[in-house]
Amino acid sequence: MTEDKHLANINIDKQNAFNAVNATGGIKSLDEYRKLYDHQWGLTVPEGPYPGMLSNYTSDLLFSMERLSTAPASVARVGANNALLFAVDNAASITGLSLEQLQTQGRLFVIDYLDQKDLPRSSNIKFGAACQAYFYIHTESGDFLPLAIKPNVEGSDLVYTPEDEENDWTLAKLMFNLNDVWFTQWFHLVAGHETAEIVYLAAIRTLSEEHPLMAFLHRLMKLAWAMRHSAEKRLINVGGPVDQLFPWAGSSAGVYTDGLYQSGLGSKFRANYLKTNLKSRGLLDSAFGPKLKSFPFLEDASLVTAEIRTFMKSFVSSYYPTPSDVTSDLELQAWILEAGPAEIKDFPTSVKDVDGIVDIMTHMCYLVAVQHGVLNSNSPVASTASLPLHPLAFYAPLPAEKGVTDVSE
Ligand SMILES: [Fe+2]
């Protein structure tokens, strides 16, 4: 019912925005996409896109820093021995270092969405690429910047860089962002819903209603629970929002999401602890390469998660004064054992003290609240799905040659 009410508000806002855009002559350039937001979306997104998303959308730094703030789940530092995905002939002209030198110095980062190349399409009028991209840490400024994007459009091996004409480079960033929001949203579904849900289901099967952790889990899962059913009915259904918005079919979203779950990328429990995960991608405490000078997602998420951990430690300790209280809690131990047959990926195999419980409970809060709030909730409309920088589809075949004259056409 909450969804119905929200949908009704969206339809009101949508019609008002449509009327306002038409009343001012429509949208004829990327800049004019601001009309979509000017005094619009009062019921559903009253604060509009995040500051800068409309005024600063041409900035390379804004584009790259999205990977370290609003869409942080895919970027990774390229290791010294990793194979490079594609060549960038003009890397030295852009950065002062060749691609290989950037790698050797630990300054090179990568995102790879090639797995979106052959997804079934939702229609033959919508198009998308399957971008691979490099980012780098600048030798002097220390800024985290984009280096190159390879869209992998059928029949083309084009590589775009900031040295291209502005229209071409902008198109490349838009193509990348489409792939990025696709990945980010299904990653969010796996991590923030499916993974949390299976842990919760195991708890329901093992903890009594009177167990002190149960009250927490019930509250945490109030809005995260049973999202698969809702998604199948209202999101990835035939003719539903995904079919309408994206170049790829809603039915393929289920398969793609399942892939992110089965691979463990979005579902591994301990490997996706905030700092563990960032370390595994070379983004935190990396012995290789320079430190990221600014990492907004980490800065905010670690602050919130640390406070949650402090609270959780106090709460759990009040129920388990000694480690033997933990090991003798049959319901708690049954929950941990249930993770095996429940096939929770990478769940702790034993919990022998308060910290073991705190780790699990803190991560559940992180999954459904902290990370979810960044990747989903109202964040996409304010950032990763805001126009003009983040189209959800292109309505013309993507070019196999450079020289685009108007990105908005
Ligand atoms: Fe969600």
Side-chain angles (χ1 to χ4, degrees), residues 30 60 63 67 86 113 128-135 146-153 158-180 388-391 394 398-399 401-404 407:
L30 293 190
D60 276 359
F63 171 73
R67 312 318 141 204
F86 60 94
Y113 293 136
C131 292
Q132 298 168 301
Y134 289 129
F135 299 82
L147 171 63
I149 295 169
K150 183 170 187 282
N152 297 299
V153 170
L158 286 179
V159 173
Y160 293 81
T161 74
E163 289 190 337
D164 284 319
E165 293 294 326
E166 187 176 345
N167 278 340
D168 287 325
W169 178 233
T170 299
L171 175 65
K173 290 190 282 188
L174 266 53
M175 288 191 281
F176 174 90
N177 277 339
L178 191 163
N179 295 136
D180 197 65
L389 193 56
H390 309 89
F394 293 93
L398 294 166
E401 292 178 8
K402 294 184 185 178
V404 170
V407 182

Side-chain angles (χ1 to χ4, degrees), residues 111-125:
I111 296 177
D112 186 356
Y113 293 136
L114 189 60
D115 64 357
Q116 295 179 37
K117 186 165 174 56
D118 297 317
L119 293 179
R121 306 247 311 271
S122 57
S123 79
N124 58 11
I125 61 163

Side-chain angles (χ1 to χ4, degrees), residues 73-74 111-120 129-131 176-191 194 236 242 246 248-267:
S74 54
I111 296 177
D112 186 356
Y113 293 136
L114 189 60
D115 64 357
Q116 295 179 37
K117 186 165 174 56
D118 297 317
L119 293 179
C131 292
F176 174 90
N177 277 339
L178 191 163
N179 295 136
D180 197 65
V181 74
W182 176 268
F183 167 84
T184 298
Q185 288 316 305
W186 307 125
F187 178 90
H188 130 266
L189 187 58
V190 170
E194 293 181 357
I236 65 173
V242 171
F246 284 98
W248 327 132
S251 55
S252 74
V255 178
Y256 190 88
T257 302
D258 195 48
L260 294 177
Y261 189 92
Q262 298 302 340
S263 73
L265 190 74
S267 60

Side-chain angles (χ1 to χ4, degrees), residues 27 30-38 41 45 47-58 62-63 66-67 69-71 170 173-182 184-185 245-246 374-394:
I27 293 173
L30 293 190
D31 279 343
E32 288 190 348
Y33 273 92
R34 67 172 59 245
K35 290 181 184 178
L36 264 180
Y37 300 101
D38 192 18
W41 309 99
V45 200
E47 294 180 359
Y50 291 144
M53 295 309 297
L54 294 172
S55 59
N56 206 22
Y57 73 89
T58 59
L62 183 147
F63 171 73
E66 288 187 290
R67 312 318 141 204
S69 53
T70 53
T170 299
K173 290 190 282 188
L174 266 53
M175 288 191 281
F176 174 90
N177 277 339
L178 191 163
N179 295 136
D180 197 65
V181 74
W182 176 268
T184 298
Q185 288 316 305
L245 293 169
F246 284 98
V374 173
L375 303 182
N376 191 252
S377 303
N378 245 8
S379 182
V381 294
S383 59
T384 49
S386 66
L387 293 169
L389 193 56
H390 309 89
L392 299 186
F394 293 93

Side-chain angles (χ1 to χ4, degrees), residues 34-356:
R34 67 172 59 245
K35 290 181 184 178
L36 264 180
Y37 300 101
D38 192 18
H39 296 97
Q40 298 301 323
W41 309 99
L43 294 173
T44 51
V45 200
E47 294 180 359
Y50 291 144
M53 295 309 297
L54 294 172
S55 59
N56 206 22
Y57 73 89
T58 59
S59 161
D60 276 359
L61 189 59
L62 183 147
F63 171 73
S64 52
M65 288 304 290
E66 288 187 290
R67 312 318 141 204
L68 301 179
S69 53
T70 53
S74 54
V75 67
R77 195 184 303 253
V78 178
N81 299 313
N82 290 155
L84 291 170
L85 297 183
F86 60 94
V88 183
D89 296 338
N90 56 336
S93 165
I94 299 166
T95 73
L97 296 171
S98 69
L99 192 65
E100 291 70 21
Q101 287 172 319
L102 287 169
Q103 179 182 17
T104 304
Q105 294 186 16
R107 294 179 179 277
L108 190 64
F109 296 78
V110 69
I111 296 177
D112 186 356
Y113 293 136
L114 189 60
D115 64 357
Q116 295 179 37
K117 186 165 174 56
D118 297 317
L119 293 179
R121 306 247 311 271
S122 57
S123 79
N124 58 11
I125 61 163
K126 297 201 292 284
F127 300 86
C131 292
Q132 298 168 301
Y134 289 129
F135 299 82
Y136 72 103
I137 294 177
H138 194 276
T139 51
E140 289 171 15
S141 68
D143 285 343
F144 179 80
L145 291 163
L147 171 63
I149 295 169
K150 183 170 187 282
N152 297 299
V153 170
E154 197 64 44
S156 164
D157 275 327
L158 286 179
V159 173
Y160 293 81
T161 74
E163 289 190 337
D164 284 319
E165 293 294 326
E166 187 176 345
N167 278 340
D168 287 325
W169 178 233
T170 299
L171 175 65
K173 290 190 282 188
L174 266 53
M175 288 191 281
F176 174 90
N177 277 339
L178 191 163
N179 295 136
D180 197 65
V181 74
W182 176 268
F183 167 84
T184 298
Q185 288 316 305
W186 307 125
F187 178 90
H188 130 266
L189 187 58
V190 170
H193 296 281
E194 293 181 357
T195 302
E197 182 176 294
I198 196 168
V199 174
Y200 182 49
L201 272 170
I204 288 171
R205 288 197 290 263
T206 51
L207 305 182
S208 68
E209 282 298 301
E210 288 72 34
H211 197 285
L213 297 180
M214 210 58 210
F216 248 107
L217 291 168
H218 282 329
R219 182 64 189 86
L220 275 179
M221 296 304 295
K222 185 171 162 51
L223 294 178
W225 168 249
M227 199 55 69
R228 280 179 302 162
H229 173 69
S230 180
E232 284 174 6
K233 216 172 158 189
R234 290 170 173 253
L235 185 64
I236 65 173
N237 51 310
V238 175
V242 171
D243 270 0
Q244 292 172 35
L245 293 169
F246 284 98
W248 327 132
S251 55
S252 74
V255 178
Y256 190 88
T257 302
D258 195 48
L260 294 177
Y261 189 92
Q262 298 302 340
S263 73
L265 190 74
S267 60
K268 280 188 175 177
F269 198 79
R270 286 174 294 176
N272 279 315
Y273 287 175
L274 170 61
K275 292 192 174 175
T276 306
N277 178 269
L278 297 181
K279 286 176 186 174
S280 74
R281 290 190 277 141
L283 305 179
L284 175 66
D285 297 340
S286 176
F288 180 56
K291 184 182 174 190
L292 293 163
K293 81 171 186 184
S294 172
F295 196 167
F297 171 72
L298 170 65
E299 289 153 21
D300 290 354
S302 59
L303 195 68
V304 178
T305 307
E307 293 299 325
I308 291 170
R309 176 174 293 278
T310 301
F311 170 81
M312 205 56 82
K313 177 123 183 175
S314 171
F315 171 71
V316 175
S317 299
S318 70
Y319 281 98
Y320 299 95
T322 69
S324 68
D325 293 317
V326 174
T327 52
S328 62
D329 181 341
L330 298 179
E331 292 184 10
L332 174 75
Q333 295 302 327
W335 182 28
I336 308 306
L337 280 179
E338 179 67 13
E343 297 183 21
I344 306 173
K345 292 187 183 295
D346 192 36
F347 202 68
T349 50
S350 70
V351 171
K352 294 177 178 166
D353 54 25
V354 162
D355 285 341

